[in-house]
Amino acid sequence: MSTGQLFRAAIRARTSLGEEIRDLVAQGELVPDDLALQALLDALSAGDASSHGAILDGFPRTAVQSRLLDDALAQLDRRVDLAIVIEVPISEAIARLTSRRVCQAAGHTFHLSERPPRVSGHCDIDGSPLERRADDDPDVVRTRMDRQGAELAGVVAHYEDTGRVARVDGRGGADRVAASVVRVIDAR
Ligand code: AMP
């Protein structure tokens, strides 16, 4: 469950949330904590996530969000079991983001050199055109790293304090990293 994906859907659908956050997301700034938490809790209460739990991608992104999430989940008799930190050198992260391409129909993800589509410019899965996310523009990526990277340290500290962190080496191919993630989940 990705808050970034929830936000992009809200922006595309021009909901009131979407209109409120459109510029922040385009500029690589964080969405206010209360809006991010509400979007996540709404999604968590729907469908499979309400009964089977979920893997959260991109939430929490600030120490405040980590505390708000713990409090909100405690009220629902739920909790965060494990925070997985995927560690990648900044230069590698920037290269991954700026060469990422996503399909217009469903956001399926490709990479120009690491995972190129079979037909250039088109999604392997649904054939729709591929595009670069506006916030994967190199200047915006730098803003995201500067503004959001500093906040993330507080998130990791929050889960470290409560013994819920597993670190994964994010270098290497997607399959290897995915296997490492599965290993730390199984170990738990
Ligand atoms: P992502 O798809 O995870 O890269 O997120 C895209 C953008 O959505 C981020 O650059 C932020 O502007 C916004 N965003 C996503 N998740 C959060 C969050 N937990 N808190 C604040 N802003 C967020």
Side-chain angles (χ1 to χ4, degrees):
M1 183 167 289
S2 150
T3 37
Q5 235 168 55
L6 295 174
F7 292 151
R8 282 186 290 281
I11 291 168
R12 263 198 312 276
R14 297 186 176 277
T15 65
S16 59
L17 170 68
E19 295 302 311
E20 195 170 347
I21 64 177
R22 178 184 299 276
D23 291 347
L24 289 171
V25 172
Q27 290 157 10
E29 303 286 352
L30 284 166
V31 168
D33 291 328
D34 54 335
L35 294 182
L37 177 73
Q38 198 50 56
L40 180 84
L41 292 178
D42 288 349
L44 268 184
S45 68
D48 277 356
S50 63
S51 48
H52 296 304
I55 295 174
L56 310 185
D57 169 10
F59 190 98
R61 253 173 158 108
T62 66
V64 171
Q65 288 181 15
S66 325
R67 289 193 290 273
L68 291 173
L69 180 63
D70 276 355
D71 293 348
L73 290 181
Q75 288 188 18
L76 301 169
D77 210 18
R78 303 177 75 177
R79 67 184 183 284
V80 173
D81 295 311
L82 185 63
I84 301 173
V85 181
I86 302 177
E87 295 181 307
V88 185
I90 290 279
S91 57
E92 171 72 17
I94 291 174
R96 288 182 185 182
L97 296 176
T98 52
S99 294
R100 172 166 64 181
R101 297 293 181 271
V102 294
C103 85
Q104 281 177 9
H108 298 125
T109 303
F110 297 84
H111 185 277
L112 291 182
S113 56
E114 298 301 319
R115 194 178 172 224
R118 281 195 298 273
V119 178
S120 173
H122 291 274
C123 178
D124 288 356
I125 298 158
D126 56 37
S128 73
L130 298 182
E131 60 187 8
R132 174 145 87 179
R133 265 170 54 174
D135 61 349
D136 281 344
D137 171 271
D139 284 342
V140 183
V141 165
R142 265 184 284 279
T143 306
R144 287 161 65 194
M145 295 288 160
D146 291 349
R147 295 278 220 280
Q148 305 189 18
E151 294 283 349
L152 265 185
V155 175
V156 177
H158 174 84
Y159 291 107
E160 249 161 4
D161 287 350
T162 44
R164 289 181 286 174
V165 169
R167 290 176 186 274
V168 165
D169 183 355
R171 293 170 300 176
D175 290 347
R176 210 188 104 190
V177 178
S180 306
V181 169
V182 170
R183 255 198 310 280
V184 298
I185 293 172
D186 283 347
R188 194 45 70 128

